[in-house]
Amino acid sequence: QVQLVESGGGLVQAGGSLRLSCAISGRAGGSLGMGWFRQAPGKEREIVAAISWTGTMTYSADSVKGRSTISRDNTKNTVVLQMNSLKPEDTAVYYCAAKLLPSSLIAYYRIDYDYWGQGTQVTVSS
């Protein structure tokens, strides 16, 4: 079983930055592809970014491309989403997710992911 715990959310002014972290624990039984999703009130949960186990493959949604970076440190079992130039429309609960995958692959869809964290609130004020 894999446990995921997000941290780093909060209230920030538009144009500011946040660094979201996901701590991974437990036994996966294989390599984990990781993703960050977000869900705003009244909206579907959507992918923000994803990264392969090796870190060589990454994905960023168009809505955050150029403003966010996903990275991981497998020695520390952490995945980080750095978000810059934040906008009010980035306001959402951000979730970390994990999926057992071959080491160089990533998953793009919510339904693909096996494990989820509880989420961390990000609020961007205008």
Side-chain angles (χ1 to χ4, degrees), residues 72-103:
R72 68 188 299 164
D73 185 340
N74 290 338
T75 65
K76 298 180 179 178
N77 293 324
T78 57
V79 177
V80 170
L81 180 68
Q82 175 70 41
M83 297 192 68
N84 304 317
S85 302
L86 284 160
K87 305 175 181 179
E89 50 264 44
D90 294 318
T91 296
V93 177
Y94 283 70
Y95 297 91
C96 177
K99 174 173 176 58
L100 288 167
L101 279 170
S103 62

Side-chain angles (χ1 to χ4, degrees), residues 10-67:
L11 174 65
V12 63
Q13 287 189 329
S17 298
L18 278 177
R19 184 176 183 271
L20 305 182
S21 293
C22 176
I24 308 164
S25 61
R27 295 191 62 174
S31 55
L32 290 174
M34 301 297 297
W36 282 96
F37 287 74
R38 68 185 182 186
Q39 188 165 17
K43 295 190 176 181
E44 295 288 321
R45 193 172 297 188
E46 62 178 4
I47 191 167
V48 178
I51 188 168
S52 62
W53 168 260
T54 58
T56 55
M57 180 71 76
T58 61
Y59 167 81
S60 293
D62 288 343
S63 57
V64 299
K65 196 167 291 184
R67 302 189 294 120

